[in-house]
């Protein structure tokens, strides 16, 4: 086991981690989607993320605003690995940059792949600033135990993939696979450069999942190009604010009524609206 992963287990992962959430499983157009009722996520899903609100609040990812005794593991002198206080899945980590800089993937895509190689039990996750990140002003990744999201329950060969894109998935998703880190970064940058950057934003909207498989010495990197930040259901009062875990097949509903009402057509509509 890698040195870093061992440190993460020792310092951050409770031996008997218990995560009690209600779930309902759907198969929508051939793909599994899990709806999860997780009231603790209301803070994140309902967060106001306009510039004024962000400028006024204390950044919860900066070290000086975090609990003094919160354990952490330093990664490459740049990132700090922490336990996520509001987990969606077991072994849910938050990995902020150790400087207060805006959420931005391009300078850190290679680090994301390095992190996933050093944490092979985990999926590394990235939310763009308008795609589920609850701190768009502070660069951070997340990580969760691998194999728990519908996206990575299956092997890639079970998906219908044409020219790097998963077909009939209900949401846009591209996949990069390989053992050459530089080649994956290059492919990723080419995709990035093709995508539009919306007015007043600094990068194309997207979510990313990266996982490294040691036995095969390959990375799987899934990219979800995004359109809307939140689906129209949000404006109608439903609390649903999709980030990377939602895109990977676990839709989080903090409010009981929304969880009660969720059905296949709602799931279809959410993915359609937030995907490019
Ligand atoms: Zn900060």
């Amino acid at each position: 086991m890698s040195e870093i992963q061992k440190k993460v287990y020792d310092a951050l992962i409770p031996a008997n981690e218990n995560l009690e959430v209600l779930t309902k499983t759907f198969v929508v157009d051939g793909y599994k989607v899990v709806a999860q009722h997780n009231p603790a996520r209301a803070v994140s899903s309902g967060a106001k993320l306009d510039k004024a609100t962000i400028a006024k609040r204390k950044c919860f990812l900066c070290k000086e605003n975090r609990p003094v005794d919160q354990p952490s593991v330093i990664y490459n002198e740049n990132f700090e690995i922490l336990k996520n206080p509001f987990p969606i899945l077991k072994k849910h980590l938050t990995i902020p940059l150790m400087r207060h800089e805006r959420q931005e993937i391009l300078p850190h895509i290679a680090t994301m792949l390095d992190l996933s190689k050093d944490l092979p039990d985990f999926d590394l996750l990235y939310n763009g600033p308008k795609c589920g990140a609850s701190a768009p002003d502070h660069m951070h990744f997340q990580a969760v135990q691998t194999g728990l999201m519908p996206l990575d329950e299956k092997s890639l060969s079970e998906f219908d993939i044409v020219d790097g894109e998963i077909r009939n998935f209900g949401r846009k998703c591209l996949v990069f696979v390989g053992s050459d880190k530089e080649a994956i970064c290059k492919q990723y940058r080419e995709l990035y450069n093709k995508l539009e950057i919306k007015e007043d934003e600094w990068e194309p909207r997207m979510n990313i999942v990266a996982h490294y498989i040691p036995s095969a010495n390959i990375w799987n990197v899934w990219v979800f190009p995004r359109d809307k930040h939140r689906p129209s259901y949000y404006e109608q009062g439903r609390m649903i604010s999709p980030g990377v875990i939602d895109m990977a097949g676990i839709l989080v509903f903090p409010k009981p009524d929304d969880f009660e009402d969720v059905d296949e057509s709602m799931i279809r509509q959410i993915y359609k609206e937030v995907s490019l």
Side-chain angles (χ1 to χ4, degrees), residues 161-187:
I161 300 174
V162 177
D163 292 333
E165 184 168 348
I166 303 182
R167 306 305 295 268
N168 311 318
F169 200 32
R171 71 213 96 148
K172 194 172 178 74
C173 181
L174 294 108
V175 192
F176 303 123
V177 182
S179 53
D180 182 341
K181 187 178 85 176
E182 286 310 315
I184 293 178
C185 290
K186 184 165 174 281
Q187 280 179 299

